[in-house]
Coordinates of all heavy atoms in Angstrom, one line a residue:
M1 N -10.3 25.1 77.4 CA -10.1 23.6 77.4 C -11.1 22.9 76.4 O -12.2 23.3 76.2 CB -10.4 23.1 78.8 CG -9.3 23.3 79.7 SD -9.3 22.1 81.0 CE -8.9 23.3 82.3
S2 N -10.6 21.8 75.9 CA -11.4 21.1 75.0 C -11.9 19.8 75.6 O -11.3 19.2 76.5 CB -10.5 20.7 73.8 OG -11.1 19.7 73.0
D3 N -13.1 19.4 75.2 CA -13.6 18.2 75.7 C -13.7 17.1 74.6 O -14.3 16.1 74.6 CB -15.0 18.3 76.4 CG -16.0 18.9 75.4 OD1 -15.8 18.9 74.2 OD2 -17.1 19.4 75.9
E4 N -13.0 17.4 73.5 CA -13.0 16.5 72.4 C -12.0 15.4 72.7 O -10.9 15.6 73.2 CB -12.5 17.2 71.1 CG -13.6 18.1 70.6 CD -13.3 18.7 69.3 OE1 -12.4 18.2 68.6 OE2 -13.8 19.8 69.0
T5 N -12.4 14.2 72.4 CA -11.5 13.1 72.7 C -11.3 12.2 71.4 O -12.2 12.3 70.5 CB -12.0 12.2 73.8 OG1 -13.3 11.7 73.4 CG2 -12.1 13.0 75.1
S6 N -10.3 11.5 71.3 CA -10.0 10.7 70.2 C -10.0 9.2 70.6 O -9.5 8.8 71.6 CB -8.7 11.0 69.6 OG -8.2 10.0 68.7
A7 N -10.7 8.4 69.8 CA -10.8 7.0 70.1 C -9.5 6.3 69.7 O -9.2 5.2 70.2 CB -11.9 6.4 69.3
E8 N -8.7 6.9 68.9 CA -7.4 6.3 68.4 C -6.4 6.3 69.5 O -6.1 5.2 70.0 CB -6.9 7.1 67.2 CG -7.7 6.9 65.9 CD -7.6 5.4 65.5 OE1 -6.5 4.9 65.3 OE2 -8.7 4.8 65.3
T9 N -5.8 7.4 69.8 CA -4.9 7.5 70.9 C -5.4 8.5 71.9 O -5.2 9.7 71.8 CB -3.5 7.9 70.4 OG1 -3.7 9.0 69.5 CG2 -2.8 6.8 69.7
P10 N -6.0 8.1 73.0 CA -6.6 9.0 73.9 C -5.5 9.8 74.6 O -4.5 9.2 75.1 CB -7.3 8.1 74.9 CG -7.4 6.7 74.3 CD -6.3 6.7 73.3
I11 N -5.7 11.1 74.6 CA -4.7 12.0 75.2 C -5.3 12.8 76.2 O -6.5 13.2 76.2 CB -4.1 12.9 74.0 CG1 -3.3 11.9 73.1 CG2 -3.2 14.0 74.6 CD1 -2.4 12.7 72.1
C12 N -4.5 13.2 77.2 CA -5.0 14.0 78.3 C -5.6 15.3 77.8 O -5.1 15.9 76.9 CB -3.7 14.3 79.2 SG -4.1 15.4 80.6
S13 N -6.7 15.7 78.5 CA -7.5 16.9 78.1 C -6.9 18.2 78.7 O -7.3 19.2 78.3 CB -8.9 16.8 78.6 OG -9.6 15.7 78.0
A14 N -5.9 18.0 79.6 CA -5.3 19.2 80.2 C -4.6 20.1 79.1 O -4.0 19.5 78.2 CB -4.3 18.9 81.3
K15 N -4.7 21.4 79.3 CA -4.2 22.3 78.3 C -2.7 22.1 78.1 O -1.9 22.1 79.0 CB -4.5 23.7 78.7 CG -4.2 24.7 77.6 CD -4.6 26.1 78.0 CE -4.4 27.1 76.9 NZ -4.6 28.5 77.3
G16 N -2.3 21.8 76.8 CA -0.9 21.7 76.5 C -0.3 20.3 76.8 O 0.8 20.1 76.5
C17 N -1.1 19.5 77.4 CA -0.6 18.1 77.8 C -0.8 17.2 76.6 O -1.9 17.1 76.1 CB -1.2 17.6 79.0 SG -0.6 16.0 79.6
R18 N 0.2 16.4 76.2 CA 0.1 15.4 75.2 C 0.3 14.0 75.7 O 0.6 13.1 74.9 CB 1.1 15.7 74.1 CG 1.1 17.1 73.5 CD -0.2 17.5 72.9 NE -0.5 16.7 71.7 CZ -1.7 16.7 71.2 NH1 -2.7 17.4 71.7 NH2 -2.0 15.9 70.1
A19 N 0.2 13.9 77.0 CA 0.5 12.5 77.6 C -0.7 11.6 77.3 O -1.8 12.1 77.1 CB 0.7 12.7 79.1
D20 N -0.4 10.3 77.3 CA -1.5 9.4 77.2 C -2.5 9.5 78.3 O -2.1 9.6 79.5 CB -0.9 7.9 77.1 CG -0.2 7.7 75.9 OD1 -0.3 8.5 74.9 OD2 0.5 6.6 75.8
A21 N -3.8 9.4 78.0 CA -4.8 9.4 79.1 C -4.8 8.1 79.8 O -4.7 7.0 79.2 CB -6.1 9.8 78.5
V22 N -5.0 8.2 81.1 CA -5.2 7.0 81.9 C -6.5 7.0 82.6 O -7.1 6.0 82.9 CB -4.1 7.0 83.0 CG1 -4.2 5.7 83.9 CG2 -2.7 7.0 82.4
W23 N -7.1 8.2 82.8 CA -8.3 8.4 83.6 C -9.4 9.0 82.7 O -9.1 9.8 81.8 CB -8.1 9.3 84.8 CG -7.1 8.7 85.8 CD1 -5.8 8.9 85.8 CD2 -7.4 7.8 86.8 NE1 -5.2 8.2 86.8 CE2 -6.2 7.5 87.5 CE3 -8.6 7.1 87.2 CZ2 -6.1 6.6 88.5 CZ3 -8.5 6.3 88.3 CH2 -7.3 6.0 88.9
V24 N -10.6 8.7 83.0 CA -11.8 9.3 82.4 C -12.6 10.1 83.5 O -12.9 9.4 84.5 CB -12.7 8.3 81.7 CG1 -14.0 9.0 81.2 CG2 -12.0 7.6 80.6
L25 N -12.8 11.3 83.3 CA -13.6 12.1 84.2 C -14.9 12.4 83.6 O -15.0 13.0 82.5 CB -12.9 13.5 84.5 CG -11.7 13.4 85.5 CD1 -10.5 12.7 84.8 CD2 -11.3 14.8 85.8
A26 N -16.0 11.8 84.2 CA -17.3 12.0 83.6 C -18.0 13.1 84.3 O -18.0 13.2 85.6 CB -18.1 10.7 83.8
W27 N -18.5 14.1 83.6 CA -19.1 15.3 84.2 C -20.4 15.7 83.5 O -20.7 15.3 82.4 CB -18.1 16.4 84.3 CG -17.5 16.9 83.0 CD1 -16.6 16.3 82.3 CD2 -18.0 18.1 82.3 NE1 -16.3 17.1 81.1 CE2 -17.2 18.1 81.1 CE3 -18.9 19.0 82.5 CZ2 -17.3 19.2 80.2 CZ3 -19.1 20.1 81.6 CH2 -18.3 20.1 80.4
N28 N -21.1 16.6 84.2 CA -22.3 17.1 83.7 C -22.5 18.5 84.2 O -22.4 18.8 85.4 CB -23.4 16.2 84.2 CG -24.8 16.7 83.9 OD1 -25.3 17.6 84.6 ND2 -25.5 16.2 82.9
N29 N -22.8 19.4 83.3 CA -23.2 20.8 83.7 C -24.7 21.0 83.7 O -25.3 21.0 82.6 CB -22.5 21.8 82.8 CG -22.8 23.2 83.1 OD1 -23.7 23.5 84.0 ND2 -22.1 24.2 82.6
P30 N -25.3 21.0 84.9 CA -26.8 21.0 84.9 C -27.4 22.2 84.2 O -28.6 22.2 83.9 CB -27.1 21.0 86.4 CG -25.8 21.3 87.1 CD -24.7 21.0 86.2
K31 N -26.6 23.3 84.0 CA -27.2 24.4 83.3 C -27.4 24.2 81.8 O -28.2 24.8 81.2 CB -26.3 25.6 83.5 CG -26.3 26.2 84.9 CD -25.5 27.5 85.0 CE -25.6 28.0 86.5 NZ -24.5 28.9 86.7
I32 N -26.5 23.3 81.3 CA -26.6 23.1 79.8 C -26.9 21.7 79.4 O -27.1 21.4 78.3 CB -25.3 23.6 79.1 CG1 -24.1 23.0 79.7 CG2 -25.3 25.2 79.2 CD1 -22.8 23.4 78.9
H33 N -26.8 20.7 80.4 CA -26.9 19.3 80.0 C -28.1 18.7 80.8 O -28.4 19.1 81.9 CB -25.7 18.5 80.4 CG -24.5 19.0 79.7 ND1 -23.3 19.2 80.3 CD2 -24.2 19.2 78.4 CE1 -22.4 19.6 79.5 NE2 -22.9 19.6 78.3
T34 N -28.8 17.8 80.1 CA -29.8 17.0 80.9 C -29.1 16.2 81.9 O -27.9 15.8 81.7 CB -30.6 16.2 79.9 OG1 -29.8 15.4 79.1 CG2 -31.5 17.1 79.0
P35 N -29.8 15.8 83.0 CA -29.1 15.1 84.1 C -28.4 13.8 83.7 O -27.4 13.5 84.4 CB -30.3 14.8 85.1 CG -31.3 15.8 84.7 CD -31.2 16.0 83.3
E36 N -28.9 13.1 82.8 CA -28.3 11.8 82.4 C -27.2 11.9 81.4 O -26.4 11.0 81.2 CB -29.4 10.8 81.9 CG -30.0 11.2 80.6 CD -31.1 12.2 80.7 OE1 -31.3 12.8 81.8 OE2 -31.8 12.5 79.7
R37 N -27.0 13.1 80.9 CA -25.9 13.3 79.9 C -24.5 13.3 80.6 O -24.4 13.8 81.7 CB -26.1 14.7 79.3 CG -25.1 15.1 78.2 CD -25.8 15.1 76.8 NE -24.8 15.6 75.8 CZ -24.8 16.8 75.2 NH1 -25.8 17.6 75.5 NH2 -23.9 17.1 74.3
R38 N -23.5 12.8 79.9 CA -22.2 12.8 80.5 C -21.2 13.3 79.5 O -21.1 12.7 78.4 CB -21.8 11.4 80.9 CG -22.4 10.8 82.2 CD -22.0 11.6 83.4 NE -22.7 11.1 84.6 CZ -23.9 11.6 84.9 NH1 -24.6 12.5 84.2 NH2 -24.5 11.1 86.0
K39 N -20.5 14.3 79.8 CA -19.4 14.7 79.1 C -18.1 14.1 79.7 O -18.1 13.7 80.8 CB -19.2 16.3 79.1 CG -20.4 17.0 78.6 CD -20.6 16.9 77.1 CE -19.5 17.6 76.4 NZ -19.7 17.5 74.9
T40 N -17.1 13.9 78.9 CA -15.9 13.3 79.4 C -14.7 14.1 79.1 O -14.5 14.6 78.0 CB -15.7 11.8 78.9 OG1 -15.7 11.9 77.4 CG2 -16.8 10.9 79.3
W41 N -13.8 14.1 80.1 CA -12.5 14.6 79.9 C -11.5 13.4 80.2 O -11.8 12.6 81.0 CB -12.2 15.7 80.9 CG -12.6 17.1 80.5 CD1 -13.3 17.4 79.4 CD2 -12.6 18.3 81.3 NE1 -13.6 18.7 79.4 CE2 -13.2 19.3 80.5 CE3 -12.0 18.6 82.5 CZ2 -13.2 20.6 81.0 CZ3 -12.1 19.9 83.0 CH2 -12.7 20.9 82.2
L42 N -10.4 13.5 79.5 CA -9.4 12.4 79.7 C -8.3 13.1 80.5 O -8.0 14.2 80.3 CB -8.9 11.9 78.4 CG -10.0 11.3 77.5 CD1 -9.4 10.9 76.2 CD2 -10.5 10.0 78.2
A43 N -7.6 12.3 81.3 CA -6.5 12.8 82.1 C -5.4 11.8 82.2 O -5.6 10.6 82.4 CB -7.0 13.2 83.5
C44 N -4.2 12.3 82.2 CA -3.0 11.5 82.5 C -2.9 11.4 84.0 O -3.7 12.1 84.7 CB -1.8 12.1 81.9 SG -1.3 13.7 82.6
G45 N -2.0 10.6 84.5 CA -1.8 10.5 86.0 C -1.5 11.8 86.6 O -2.0 12.1 87.7
E46 N -0.8 12.6 85.9 CA -0.4 13.9 86.5 C -1.5 14.9 86.6 O -1.5 15.7 87.5 CB 0.7 14.5 85.6 CG 1.5 15.6 86.2 CD 2.5 16.2 85.2 OE1 2.9 15.5 84.3 OE2 2.8 17.4 85.4
H47 N -2.5 14.9 85.7 CA -3.5 15.9 85.7 C -4.9 15.5 86.2 O -5.8 16.3 86.2 CB -3.7 16.4 84.2 CG -2.5 17.3 83.8 ND1 -1.7 16.9 82.8 CD2 -2.1 18.5 84.2 CE1 -0.8 17.9 82.6 NE2 -1.0 18.8 83.5
R48 N -5.0 14.2 86.6 CA -6.2 13.8 87.1 C -6.8 14.6 88.3 O -7.9 15.1 88.3 CB -6.1 12.3 87.6 CG -7.4 11.8 88.2 CD -7.3 10.3 88.6 NE -6.4 10.3 89.8 CZ -6.8 10.2 91.0 NH1 -8.1 10.2 91.3 NH2 -5.9 10.2 92.0
E49 N -5.9 14.9 89.2 CA -6.3 15.7 90.4 C -6.7 17.1 90.0 O -7.7 17.7 90.4 CB -5.2 15.7 91.4 CG -5.6 16.5 92.6 CD -4.9 15.9 93.9 OE1 -4.3 14.8 93.8 OE2 -5.1 16.6 94.9
H50 N -5.8 17.7 89.1 CA -6.1 19.1 88.7 C -7.5 19.2 88.0 O -8.3 20.1 88.3 CB -5.0 19.6 87.8 CG -5.2 20.9 87.1 ND1 -5.1 22.1 87.8 CD2 -5.7 21.2 85.9 CE1 -5.4 23.1 86.9 NE2 -5.7 22.6 85.8
L51 N -7.7 18.3 87.0 CA -8.9 18.4 86.3 C -10.2 18.0 87.1 O -11.2 18.6 87.0 CB -8.9 17.5 85.0 CG -7.9 17.9 84.0 CD1 -7.7 16.8 82.9 CD2 -8.3 19.2 83.3
S52 N -10.0 17.0 88.0 CA -11.1 16.7 88.8 C -11.5 17.8 89.8 O -12.6 18.0 90.2 CB -11.0 15.3 89.5 OG -9.8 15.3 90.3
Q53 N -10.4 18.5 90.3 CA -10.7 19.6 91.2 C -11.5 20.7 90.4 O -12.4 21.3 91.0 CB -9.4 20.2 91.8 CG -9.0 19.5 93.0 CD -7.8 20.1 93.7 OE1 -7.4 21.2 93.3 NE2 -7.2 19.4 94.6
F54 N -11.0 21.0 89.2 CA -11.7 22.0 88.4 C -13.2 21.7 88.2 O -14.0 22.6 88.4 CB -11.0 22.0 87.0 CG -11.5 23.1 86.0 CD1 -10.9 24.3 86.0 CD2 -12.6 22.8 85.2 CE1 -11.4 25.3 85.1 CE2 -13.1 23.7 84.3 CZ -12.5 25.0 84.3
L55 N -13.5 20.5 88.0 CA -14.9 20.1 87.8 C -15.6 20.0 89.2 O -16.7 20.4 89.3 CB -15.0 18.8 87.1 CG -14.5 18.8 85.6 CD1 -14.3 17.4 85.1 CD2 -15.5 19.6 84.8
G56 N -14.8 19.5 90.2 CA -15.4 19.3 91.5 C -15.9 20.6 92.1 O -17.0 20.6 92.7
V57 N -15.1 21.6 92.1 CA -15.5 22.9 92.7 C -16.7 23.5 92.1 O -17.5 24.2 92.7 CB -14.3 23.9 92.7 CG1 -13.2 23.4 93.5 CG2 -13.9 24.3 91.3
R58 N -17.0 23.2 90.8 CA -18.2 23.6 90.1 C -19.4 22.7 90.3 O -20.5 23.0 89.9 CB -17.9 23.8 88.6 CG -17.0 25.0 88.4 CD -16.3 24.9 87.0 NE -15.5 26.1 86.8 CZ -14.3 26.2 87.3 NH1 -13.7 25.3 88.1 NH2 -13.6 27.3 87.0
G59 N -19.1 21.6 91.0 CA -20.2 20.6 91.2 C -20.6 19.8 90.0 O -21.6 19.2 89.9
F60 N -19.6 19.8 89.0 CA -19.9 19.1 87.7 C -19.5 17.6 87.7 O -20.0 16.8 86.9 CB -19.2 19.8 86.6 CG -19.7 21.2 86.2 CD1 -19.0 21.9 85.3 CD2 -20.8 21.7 86.8 CE1 -19.4 23.2 85.0 CE2 -21.2 23.0 86.5 CZ -20.5 23.8 85.6
L61 N -18.5 17.3 88.6 CA -17.9 16.0 88.5 C -18.8 14.9 89.0 O -19.3 15.0 90.1 CB -16.6 16.0 89.3 CG -15.7 14.7 89.1 CD1 -15.2 14.6 87.7 CD2 -14.5 14.8 90.1
K62 N -19.0 13.9 88.1 CA -19.8 12.8 88.5 C -19.1 11.5 88.8 O -19.5 10.7 89.7 CB -20.8 12.4 87.3 CG -21.7 13.6 87.0 CD -22.6 13.9 88.1 CE -23.6 15.0 87.8 NZ -24.3 15.5 89.0
D63 N -18.0 11.2 88.1 CA -17.3 10.0 88.2 C -15.9 10.1 87.7 O -15.6 10.8 86.7 CB -18.1 8.9 87.4 CG -18.1 7.6 88.0 OD1 -17.5 7.4 89.1 OD2 -18.7 6.7 87.4
V64 N -15.0 9.3 88.3 CA -13.6 9.2 87.8 C -13.3 7.7 87.8 O -13.3 7.1 88.8 CB -12.6 10.0 88.7 CG1 -11.2 9.8 88.2 CG2 -13.0 11.4 88.9
V65 N -13.0 7.3 86.6 CA -12.7 5.8 86.4 C -11.5 5.7 85.5 O -11.2 6.7 84.7 CB -13.8 5.0 85.8 CG1 -15.0 5.0 86.8 CG2 -14.3 5.6 84.5
T66 N -10.8 4.6 85.5 CA -9.7 4.4 84.6 C -10.2 4.3 83.2 O -11.4 3.8 83.0 CB -8.9 3.2 84.9 OG1 -9.7 2.0 84.8 CG2 -8.3 3.2 86.3
L67 N -9.4 4.6 82.2 CA -9.8 4.5 80.8 C -10.2 3.1 80.5 O -11.2 2.8 79.8 CB -8.7 5.0 79.9 CG -9.0 5.1 78.4 CD1 -10.1 6.1 78.2 CD2 -7.7 5.5 77.7
A68 N -9.5 2.1 81.0 CA -9.8 0.7 80.7 C -11.2 0.3 81.2 O -12.0 -0.3 80.6 CB -8.7 -0.2 81.3
E69 N -11.5 0.8 82.5 CA -12.8 0.5 83.1 C -13.9 1.2 82.2 O -14.9 0.6 82.0 CB -12.8 1.2 84.5 CG -12.6 0.3 85.6 CD -12.8 1.0 86.9 OE1 -11.9 1.7 87.3 OE2 -13.9 0.9 87.5
W70 N -13.6 2.4 81.8 CA -14.6 3.2 81.1 C -15.0 2.5 79.8 O -16.1 2.3 79.4 CB -14.1 4.6 80.8 CG -15.1 5.5 80.1 CD1 -15.1 5.7 78.8 CD2 -16.1 6.2 80.7 NE1 -16.1 6.6 78.5 CE2 -16.8 6.9 79.6 CE3 -16.6 6.4 82.0 CZ2 -17.9 7.8 79.9 CZ3 -17.7 7.2 82.2 CH2 -18.3 7.9 81.2
E71 N -13.9 2.0 79.1 CA -14.2 1.4 77.8 C -14.8 0.0 78.0 O -15.6 -0.4 77.2 CB -12.8 1.3 77.0 CG -12.4 2.7 76.6 CD -11.2 2.7 75.8 OE1 -10.4 1.8 75.9 OE2 -11.0 3.7 75.0
S72 N -14.4 -0.7 79.0 CA -15.0 -2.0 79.2 C -16.5 -1.9 79.6 O -17.3 -2.8 79.4 CB -14.2 -2.8 80.2 OG -14.4 -2.3 81.5
A73 N -16.8 -0.8 80.3 CA -18.2 -0.5 80.7 C -19.1 -0.2 79.5 O -20.3 -0.2 79.5 CB -18.3 0.6 81.7
G74 N -18.4 0.2 78.3 CA -19.2 0.5 77.1 C -20.1 1.7 77.3 O -21.2 1.7 76.8
S75 N -19.7 2.7 78.0 CA -20.6 3.8 78.2 C -21.0 4.5 76.9 O -20.2 4.6 76.0 CB -19.9 4.8 79.1 OG -20.7 6.0 79.2
A76 N -22.2 5.0 76.9 CA -22.7 5.7 75.8 C -22.5 7.2 75.9 O -23.1 8.0 75.1 CB -24.2 5.4 75.6
A77 N -21.7 7.7 76.7 CA -21.4 9.1 76.9 C -20.8 9.7 75.6 O -20.3 9.0 74.8 CB -20.5 9.4 78.1
D78 N -21.0 11.0 75.5 CA -20.4 11.7 74.4 C -18.9 11.5 74.3 O -18.2 11.5 75.4 CB -20.6 13.2 74.5 CG -22.0 13.6 74.5 OD1 -22.8 12.8 74.1 OD2 -22.4 14.7 74.9
R79 N -18.4 11.4 73.1 CA -16.9 11.3 73.0 C -16.4 12.4 72.1 O -17.1 12.7 71.1 CB -16.5 10.0 72.6 CG -16.7 9.0 73.7 CD -16.2 7.6 73.3 NE -16.4 6.8 74.5 CZ -15.4 6.2 75.2 NH1 -14.2 6.4 74.8 NH2 -15.7 5.5 76.2
Ligands
ZN101 ZN1 -1.9 15.5 81.4

């Protein structure tokens, strides 16, 4: 899976999915990231649950917000 995102046309991070992203999943892997660091995955409506479960079972998931909310919040997370 890729965590690369594009500022132009945000697309779902799920493998093989080319749908427009609607959700931002903010996550952190404590083994490789400092606590305040946030990686982001994008998800369409269909994959939000799948991707958040993937991160959730590993204890990585920090936040799930809509893309509009995320951008208006002006987060400094990696993109
Ligand atoms: Zn998707």
Side-chain angles (χ1 to χ4, degrees):
M1 277 206 226
S2 168
D3 59 16
E4 288 182 23
T5 60
S6 161
E8 288 295 308
T9 46
I11 294 193
C12 179
S13 299
K15 194 176 180 186
C17 183
R18 308 299 298 165
D20 289 347
V22 180
W23 298 94
V24 175
L25 286 66
W27 60 278
N28 172 282
N29 180 347
K31 287 185 183 161
I32 57 174
H33 300 132
T34 53
E36 66 279 7
R37 183 112 176 251
R38 288 292 178 274
K39 300 293 287 181
T40 56
W41 278 358
L42 299 172
C44 66
E46 193 185 336
H47 287 115
R48 179 181 66 97
E49 183 148 349
H50 172 78
L51 292 173
S52 55
Q53 273 186 11
F54 181 93
L55 294 167
V57 296
R58 289 161 178 78
F60 294 173
L61 187 62
K62 298 297 181 189
D63 215 0
V64 180
V65 296
T66 64
L67 188 60
E69 258 184 281
W70 183 264
E71 289 181 340
S72 70
S75 172
D78 295 345
R79 286 184 178 245

